[in-house]
Amino acid sequence: LAKTTQPISMDSYEGQEVNITCSHNNIATNDYITWYQQFPSQGPRFIIQGYKTKVTNEVASLFIPADRKSSTLSLPRVSLSDTAVYYCLVGEGDKIIFGKGTRLHILP
Amino acid sequence: GAVVSQHPSWVICKSGTSVKIECRSLDFQATTMFWYRQFPKQSLMLMATSNEGSKATYEQGVEKDKFLINHASLTLSTLTVTSAHPEDSSFYICSAEGKVEGRNTEAFFGQGTRLTVV
């Protein structure tokens, strides 16, 4: 299973675009990259998943360079309610292992 | 998206008693279910992985006789914390995956169960 590295915490302001980068140097050929959001005392919520290049949905965009050794989650125009922990997961196997995640704090 | 329902949302029990937590996939067949434990300000720690109809695979350091997992159907898995002690107090979360065209779907998570052992 590929190990992931993310910043432990980030601060931003309402209305800004936030980019959280995740490193996964040992990503395997079959691995997908998935991002989850977790609020306190709740289960994680799926945000976006991708394999290469760019994926966009109604919530976020995911940018993956050609070597796939990193990925960037982009949250457009964040609001206070986006304050949460964001996890980057890599793999396609039977286990889902969480790293430490990035604690994002949105300021007014 | 798919829905995973976890019950109860919170439970308080006396030390030495057992507690059962249910995890149901409401609108898809979950071929694999995962159980996690999360302590305050920490990440989710995988406890075990279970496939329908077979025994759960436990992570290193997780006592299988203390944390009993049953995955009897494609829509239900249960975690029973036996002889609970205060140090078992934690936030327990389940997740479920299905299969689409031979590939695992993304995991869908329950809302979690806050267990407090007094």
Side-chain angles (χ1 to χ4, degrees):
Chain A
L1 293 169
K3 181 182 175 182
T4 60
T5 304
Q6 304 172 234
I8 292 183
S9 66
M10 292 179 66
D11 290 340
S12 187
Y13 291 92
E14 278 193 294
Q16 299 287 312
E17 177 185 81
V18 171
N19 296 310
I20 306 174
T21 296
C22 178
S23 297
H24 28 79
N25 292 317
N26 296 324
I27 189 169
T29 303
N30 293 334
D31 286 345
Y32 280 73
I33 301 157
T34 311
W35 286 79
Y36 287 88
Q37 174 193 56
Q38 186 183 28
F39 297 113
S41 295
Q42 293 186 27
R45 183 175 74 101
F46 172 84
I47 301 175
I48 198 165
Q49 183 180 69
Y51 183 79
K52 62 180 180 181
T53 62
K54 177 183 175 182
V55 180
T56 297
N57 61 22
E58 64 276 8
V59 177
S61 294
L62 179 60
F63 298 92
I64 305 167
D67 66 4
R68 303 198 330 120
K69 292 183 183 299
S70 67
S71 59
T72 299
L73 174 72
S74 181
L75 304 172
R77 297 183 60 79
V78 293
S79 64
L80 295 176
S81 61
D82 293 316
T83 293
V85 180
Y86 292 82
Y87 295 97
C88 161
L89 281 73
V90 173
E92 200 242 347
D94 294 332
K95 288 187 183 183
I96 302 177
I97 304 292
F98 282 77
K100 297 188 187 309
T102 297
R103 194 169 294 273
L104 176 64
H105 187 202
I106 305 301
L107 304 166
Chain B
V3 177
V4 173
S5 176
Q6 197 172 330
H7 178 80
S9 298
W10 60 271
V11 58
I12 301 173
C13 71
K14 290 186 177 182
S15 187
T17 61
S18 295
V19 174
K20 180 185 284 188
I21 302 170
E22 290 188 350
C23 180
R24 294 181 184 273
S25 58
L26 297 185
D27 51 2
F28 69 103
Q29 293 188 327
T31 50
T32 306
M33 284 189 170
F34 306 89
W35 286 95
Y36 296 85
R37 180 167 50 181
Q38 187 175 33
F39 294 106
K41 303 283 188 183
Q42 294 187 23
S43 184
L44 287 76
M45 289 171 30
L46 181 64
M47 299 175 68
T49 303
S50 74
N51 294 298
E52 184 263 340
S54 60
K55 289 184 178 180
T57 302
Y58 290 80
E59 294 300 299
Q60 194 172 7
V62 178
E63 300 175 55
K64 63 179 181 180
D65 294 330
K66 180 169 184 60
F67 299 99
L68 302 179
I69 292 172
N70 184 282
H71 191 167
S73 76
L74 283 172
T75 59
L76 174 64
S77 177
T78 60
L79 167 67
T80 302
V81 183
T82 63
S83 187
H85 291 286
E87 58 265 30
D88 298 323
S89 298
S90 188
F91 192 54
Y92 292 86
I93 307 169
C94 72
S95 74
E97 279 184 344
K99 270 203 187 296
V100 176
E101 296 179 351
R103 184 182 157 257
N104 291 340
T105 66
E106 67 265 26
F108 300 97
F109 287 80
Q111 67 269 42
T113 297
R114 173 76 56 194
L115 171 63
T116 303
V117 185
V118 297

